[in-house]
Amino acid sequence: MGLLSVGEPLSWPETKSYAEYIREHGIKQFINLYNLCKTKTSEVLKFGDEIEYMILKFDDQSKKVRVSNRAIELLKILQEPEENGQDCVSLWRPEFGAYMVEGTPGQPYSMNPTPLEQYLMTANHDQQQDSYSASNNDNINMMNEHNYNAEDDDKNVEDDASMMDNNNKLTSSSSSSSSSSTPFSFVNVIEANMRLRRKQVIDLLNENETILSISPFPSLGTFDFCEPSSFVHPTYGYSRSLFFPDEAIYTGHPRFRTLANNIRERRGRNVDIYLPIFRDQNTSSPFRENFVDSLNIDPTSIDDEEKEKYEEIARERERIFRKDDHIYMDAMGFGMGCCCLQVTFQASNIDEACCLYDQLAPLCPIMMALSAASPIFRGFLSDIDCRWSVIAQSVDDRTEAEITGKSCRRIPKSRFDSIDLYISRQNVDYNDIDVVYDERYYQQMIDNQIPSSIAKHIAHLFIRDPLVIFKEKLDIDDTKESDHFENIQSTNWQTMRFKPPPLSQPEIGWRVEFRPMELQLTDRENAALVIFVVLLTRLILSFNLNLLIPMSKVEENMKVAQERDALKHKRFWFRRNISFPQNIREHLRVRRCRASKQLSHCFASCSDRSAKNIETCCVQLTIDEIINGTDIDVNDDGIHDGGFPGLIPLLNFYLDSVEIDAETRCTLNLYLRLISRRAKGELPTAAQLIRRFVIGHEDYQNDSRVSSKIVYDLLKQLDQLQTDQITLEQLITNINQHFNNKTQTKTPD
Ligand code: ADP
Ligand code: MG
Ligand code: MG
């Protein structure tokens, strides 16, 4: 959610006039915090997830679903225990949308469980026992066999909730409950915590309201999509959109509307967001939108003169901005109004943080494609499956001159985009794309003993203007606070974020945030992704794994990852040869398992970090091959170049080498199995599932348009899924049945 300062934000012209001041002090603050914290070490692995939820309201009579702009009311209640200084099982924050809330665990998880985790483990223990005992000997079918039983779960969640006071605070008896714990026992609590968070919000909802973990609201920006009904005013306000009213921006804090306003003012006009349309049998060719027809105005509440004025603006925008075969959007809310899943890790020191930052970077596009969940925007099926490019365009504050580089320095990317630089000293040879950075700040950091790779990264972030400045927070002590650094840092929304300890809280360690993942439809899938990435960090650090490929290849992968069904049809650049320390090689060599031959091949050609091999260090693999391993036969003397054992087989090797109790290992297998099935295509992505639902719906006209009735039916089903009235397997079966019926009846003609 980023930095939330308090006070009165400055106007854009005032903000601009302070831009240099903020940057100068921001750099000083970074230099101070770097030198204060550079030797700081943290003992325990800590991490925490962030999940954003959407509050929705069903209108069963008119068969319409709207976003419910009640986050401000719900947050008042959800944040109460935290404000009273109580220990909480969850923390709640506002997000861009007036209909969004963001939940995180009450404290980060750690390898040594905290009282909160002990409590959750105990609360979760019975459920896990029931769920997993039958399959101790058969992990293969776990996902099929162990879908939640809705009744049991209701009971479990109620039991969990009854151990809490005021729905969020831990009672003393619960927090002191004992439970055996080993490293990795946190895997037993992540999903339970996500379920509790959901339950906490559900308990506060009005009749016909629900909260869903979905990425974009499919009807965002269509006529009358808000509850209470709100309409646009393209001539004034923050967004000036034809489709997205300012009332859909969270009003409880000025940051969000100021961001929308200042991005628009900085670039000199509305943002423009284009998405390729999904071309179906009856989609008009070329596909051309009618902006006047799509105007989200209420004809009953505005007079004829105003209506005519707005329609004229819509016609004018259409003339200038419409692109054939593209869906058009014109407000920050279309991107930042999507929900997502993020994970932050604390490393044991700065070098480890840099290492994780670098090694996780090539995994960003892979995890994005694996988690794809965003096929519908503004009521149209698009040809992409992920929200990334929509958000990138939705907060792109660059001026025309900065984009073209005609009269000033060219800035190739939006401030929301993939990273451009690896930051560990030994990895800089892999940085092969043009990076714009501020040379003055770079030099200033070098002069103050900041390593050049980190200095370049920070000087790269500091090419941006601050977007929101609070008058009251302008004059701060650069040796005690780092708000000006955070100001720029928190409005560079990239795939990875390198998070130094805040100057005001140096007890916090060096952290990195993993930000590319799409939000999943169920807590189990969200937990699986979080756990998978956490395990990967352990694998990377324990095996000293080198997954790096040239940054330009990561960049290529980012584009591919967003394409429709990339998981199934696309190949991604991946590192060709992975090396392991000798003792691990020996350990792996003696194991009899599917991937051992492939592993021995990999040892044969150790990775070489020298620049001359960088170009040839990667190969194109499918996500299945990356996650589950390539299907190669390595004969005894031949090396089949390009093979990869697979991240899950590697994780299994790693997990076999550490001491884990049987129950925890069983739970881990459950999540790994889910990831493995997803990668194989056995478990659809949310994007695939939602597309199939739309195409199989009786009202769908094969013209790429997703009507409000289809969205209503879709979200009703997702609501049933997310409140355990149906299982994911049942939903998939239902959707496949409809899809097959419809597509088969169509085939004869
Ligand atoms: P953001 O920077 O995205 O606004 P926050 O820093 O508020 O996010 O928190 C993001 C996640 O980081 C949360 O899940 C939180 O539990 C977790 N977190 C907080 N402190 C730490 C820490 N010291 N180490 C690792 N994770 C942490
Ligand atoms: Mg957020
Ligand atoms: Mg975050």
Side-chain angles (χ1 to χ4, degrees):
M1 166 221 52
L3 181 73
L4 278 189
S5 299
V6 282
E8 200 42 49
L10 300 181
S11 69
W12 172 244
E14 289 170 314
T15 303
K16 186 144 186 59
S17 70
Y18 280 109
E20 199 55 40
Y21 172 91
I22 296 288
R23 278 193 293 261
E24 273 173 17
H25 286 271
I27 291 293
K28 280 188 194 149
Q29 290 164 11
F30 177 74
I31 291 170
N32 288 338
L33 71 81
Y34 180 89
N35 286 319
L36 184 75
C37 301
K38 64 184 172 195
T39 55
K40 182 182 169 46
T41 56
S42 315
E43 293 288 299
V44 255
L45 157 74
K46 280 189 183 170
F47 69 92
D49 67 89
E50 295 165 71
I51 292 187
E52 295 162 356
Y53 303 88
M54 228 172 248
I55 313 157
L56 302 167
K57 181 152 186 180
F58 291 107
D59 179 342
D60 293 333
Q61 256 180 349
S62 66
K63 302 271 185 268
K64 192 171 161 91
V65 54
R66 295 180 174 84
V67 295
S68 176
N69 292 338
R70 288 214 308 128
I72 192 164
E73 289 166 53
L74 301 188
L75 281 168
K76 267 198 193 102
I77 305 168
L78 290 166
Q79 292 181 321
E80 215 173 80
E82 184 190 358
E83 274 161 17
N84 294 337
Q86 292 160 345
D87 277 344
C88 304
V89 289
S90 58
L91 299 178
W92 294 94
R93 299 287 177 263
E95 255 304 334
F96 185 87
Y99 49 87
M100 290 163 78
V101 287
E102 176 184 289
T104 65
Q107 296 159 17
Y109 301 107
S110 58
M111 289 292 255
N112 302 331
T114 59
L116 159 68
E117 288 159 27
Q118 297 260 348
Y119 150 67
L120 279 170
M121 270 183 259
T122 320
N124 200 30
H125 186 74
D126 298 340
Q127 179 184 329
Q128 300 285 351
Q129 286 288 85
D130 291 349
S131 293
Y132 304 143
S133 56
S135 63
N136 272 350
N137 298 324
D138 179 16
N139 294 337
I140 311 289
N141 292 317
M142 253 182 189
M143 273 304 293
N144 297 333
E145 289 172 18
H146 297 288
N147 287 309
Y148 283 125
N149 174 320
E151 276 179 30
D152 287 357
D153 263 11
D154 274 347
K155 187 178 159 299
N156 274 321
V157 172
E158 267 164 35
D159 288 350
D160 294 344
S162 69
M163 294 177 75
M164 289 184 295
D165 184 9
N166 200 13
N167 241 1
N168 200 352
K169 189 185 98 180
L170 287 171
T171 59
S172 53
S173 65
S174 61
S175 60
S176 62
S177 62
S178 66
S179 165
S180 65
S181 58
T182 58
F184 295 103
S185 35
F186 58 78
V187 299
N188 295 314
V189 305
I190 292 173
E191 186 180 342
N193 187 284
M194 289 175 180
R195 296 177 72 80
L196 277 170
R197 276 181 242 168
R198 197 185 281 278
K199 169 86 165 62
Q200 286 175 341
V201 186
I202 288 176
D203 282 351
L204 304 176
L205 296 175
N206 289 337
E207 205 185 333
N208 277 334
E209 269 183 344
T210 190
I211 62 149
L212 293 184
S213 51
I214 51 171
S215 181
F217 175 61
S219 305
L220 205 72
T222 62
F223 177 67
D224 194 13
F225 74 92
C226 292
E227 169 72 32
S229 290
S230 312
F231 301 96
V232 299
H233 298 284
T235 52
Y236 63 90
Y238 311 110
S239 303
R240 306 195 187 180
S241 166
L242 303 176
F243 321 108
F244 190 94
D246 282 344
E247 286 81 352
I249 304 177
Y250 182 77
T251 53
H253 193 281
R255 170 180 165 91
F256 304 105
R257 55 177 183 260
T258 310
L259 278 172
N261 186 78
N262 290 357
I263 287 171
R264 187 180 49 73
E265 284 203 43
R266 188 183 189 285
R267 62 184 269 130
R269 57 182 165 90
N270 276 51
V271 291
D272 32 49
I273 306 163
Y274 296 102
L275 268 190
I277 190 85
F278 166 68
R279 178 153 295 291
D280 207 344
Q281 290 159 26
N282 301 330
T283 310
S284 56
S285 185
F287 166 82
R288 280 187 183 145
E289 283 202 67
N290 181 323
F291 287 15
V292 173
D293 287 353
S294 308
L295 249 184
N296 184 17
I297 51 171
D298 178 11
T300 61
S301 74
I302 56 172
D303 58 32
D304 285 351
E305 199 183 323
E306 205 171 12
K307 181 163 174 271
E308 184 46 44
K309 189 167 76 186
Y310 289 172
E311 288 181 351
E312 188 48 43
I313 292 171
R315 269 190 289 274
E316 179 69 0
R317 293 242 189 113
E318 181 181 292
R319 196 177 58 74
I320 304 171
F321 296 113
R322 183 171 70 185
K323 262 198 206 170
D324 282 357
D325 297 321
H326 283 80
I327 307 160
Y328 167 75
M329 291 167 279
D330 63 353
M332 178 171 170
F334 284 106
M336 285 296 187
C338 295
C339 294
C340 75
L341 170 70
Q342 295 167 341
V343 201
T344 294
F345 305 94
Q346 180 169 287
S348 50
N349 55 45
I350 185 170
D351 289 342
E352 194 178 287
C354 292
C355 166
L356 284 179
Y357 181 94
D358 290 354
Q359 295 296 337
L360 288 174
L363 294 172
C364 287
I366 312 303
M367 295 309 292
M368 187 189 290
L370 192 71
S371 62
S374 313
I376 309 173
F377 283 87
R378 247 195 74 229
F380 294 106
L381 277 176
S382 84
D383 216 27
I384 58 127
D385 273 355
C386 300
R387 79 204 192 295
W388 192 266
S389 71
V390 177
I391 316 193
Q393 296 172 85
S394 83
V395 291
D396 189 353
D397 68 342
R398 290 172 301 163
T399 61
E400 208 52 42
E402 287 167 339
I403 293 171
T404 58
K406 278 207 182 111
S407 54
C408 66
R409 176 176 60 186
R410 189 175 96 85
I411 300 182
K413 282 181 174 178
S414 163
R415 54 200 298 158
F416 188 114
D417 218 315
S418 48
I419 63 162
D420 287 343
L421 280 169
Y422 294 112
I423 58 172
S424 299
R425 204 181 313 238
Q426 70 271 26
N427 295 335
V428 293
D429 285 349
Y430 291 85
N431 289 331
D432 65 341
I433 57 179
D434 273 348
V435 179
V436 188
Y437 64 98
D438 189 300
E439 285 175 26
R440 212 162 30 98
Y441 297 141
Y442 173 74
Q443 197 51 50
Q444 190 183 343
M445 286 184 271
I446 296 291
D447 294 344
N448 283 277
Q449 288 77 50
I450 311 276
S452 72
S453 50
I454 294 177
K456 206 179 224 185
H457 165 65
I458 302 295
H460 166 59
L461 303 184
F462 272 66
I463 59 169
R464 310 288 173 176
D465 277 345
L467 290 171
V468 185
I469 300 177
F470 293 95
K471 208 181 281 168
E472 298 79 353
K473 297 289 283 182
L474 268 172
D475 190 16
I476 55 174
D477 183 346
D478 292 339
T479 61
K480 296 210 170 69
E481 289 179 272
S482 43
D483 286 35
H484 297 330
F485 166 73
E486 288 294 337
N487 187 326
I488 304 289
Q489 154 100 330
S490 71
T491 50
N492 269 277
W493 299 277
Q494 301 184 328
T495 34
M496 299 292 308
R497 187 175 281 163
F498 180 63
K499 292 176 164 178
L503 258 180
S504 56
Q505 289 168 284
E507 69 281 2
I508 294 180
W510 292 91
R511 294 151 302 150
V512 293
E513 186 178 14
F514 189 71
R515 303 166 47 83
M517 290 192 288
E518 300 251 312
L519 188 56
Q520 305 298 288
L521 299 176
T522 61
D523 296 321
R524 174 149 300 180
E525 292 164 290
N526 283 314
L529 287 176
V530 171
I531 288 165
F532 183 61
V533 182
V534 173
L535 293 180
L536 288 176
T537 63
R538 298 305 92 193
L539 180 73
I540 288 165
L541 295 176
S542 307
F543 283 16
N544 193 19
L545 211 57
N546 181 13
L547 299 171
L548 295 200
I549 55 175
M551 192 55 88
S552 59
K553 296 280 190 280
V554 180
E555 191 81 356
E556 260 185 76
N557 283 351
M558 276 299 289
K559 294 199 171 71
V560 172
Q562 302 177 54
E563 290 177 24
R564 176 165 52 87
D565 256 348
L567 173 60
K568 201 159 141 197
H569 300 301
K570 299 291 173 181
R571 290 183 165 269
F572 294 81
W573 291 111
F574 203 73
R575 191 171 179 89
R576 188 190 289 270
N577 297 316
I578 309 281
S579 68
F580 301 95
Q582 179 67 25
N583 60 340
I584 295 171
R585 276 191 257 166
E586 291 309 321
H587 170 75
L588 299 179
R589 209 172 250 141
V590 294
R591 295 196 58 86
R592 288 169 169 273
C593 78
R594 198 181 134 246
S596 59
K597 269 189 165 179
Q598 298 161 27
L599 281 169
S600 60
H601 134 71
C602 285
F603 313 145
S605 39
C606 277
S607 66
D608 184 342
R609 286 181 194 262
S610 71
K612 72 176 166 31
N613 280 338
I614 284 173
E615 281 304 306
T616 54
C617 75
C618 42
V619 60
Q620 282 189 305
L621 300 179
T622 63
I623 300 250
D624 182 24
E625 288 169 333
I626 293 167
I627 302 287
N628 292 309
T630 51
D631 215 8
I632 51 165
D633 249 347
V634 184
N635 60 35
D636 287 342
D637 37 39
I639 290 172
H640 188 299
D641 200 17
F644 179 61
L647 293 171
I648 288 191
L650 281 175
L651 278 176
N652 280 324
F653 280 123
Y654 164 66
L655 291 169
D656 287 348
S657 72
V658 286
E659 207 170 293
I660 307 178
D661 63 281
E663 185 191 326
T664 303
R665 184 65 212 258
C666 208
T667 315
L668 278 167
N669 286 347
L670 175 92
Y671 293 114
L672 290 180
R673 176 90 193 122
L674 190 153
I675 299 292
S676 166
R677 289 185 63 215
R678 170 69 65 77
K680 281 186 184 140
E682 292 171 12
L683 191 69
T685 60
Q688 289 167 335
L689 201 60
I690 291 170
R691 269 182 205 285
R692 287 194 143 226
F693 179 91
V694 172
I695 291 168
H697 194 282
E698 55 186 5
D699 284 2
Y700 179 64
Q701 303 293 316
N702 295 84
D703 58 356
S704 323
R705 288 172 193 274
V706 188
S707 67
S708 60
K709 169 71 165 56
I710 300 177
V711 174
Y712 171 87
D713 289 340
L714 170 69
L715 297 194
K716 273 277 168 184
Q717 295 256 303
L718 297 186
D719 184 36
Q720 289 190 346
L721 172 71
Q722 298 187 13
T723 50
D724 297 317
Q725 296 169 61
I726 49 168
T727 64
L728 184 57
E729 301 291 337
Q730 283 167 341
L731 180 72
I732 295 169
T733 308
N734 287 348
I735 289 179
N736 284 346
Q737 253 168 19
H738 278 93
F739 179 85
N740 291 337
N741 287 346
K742 187 152 170 203
T743 46
Q744 275 157 19
T745 39
K746 288 242 157 198
T747 327
D749 32 286

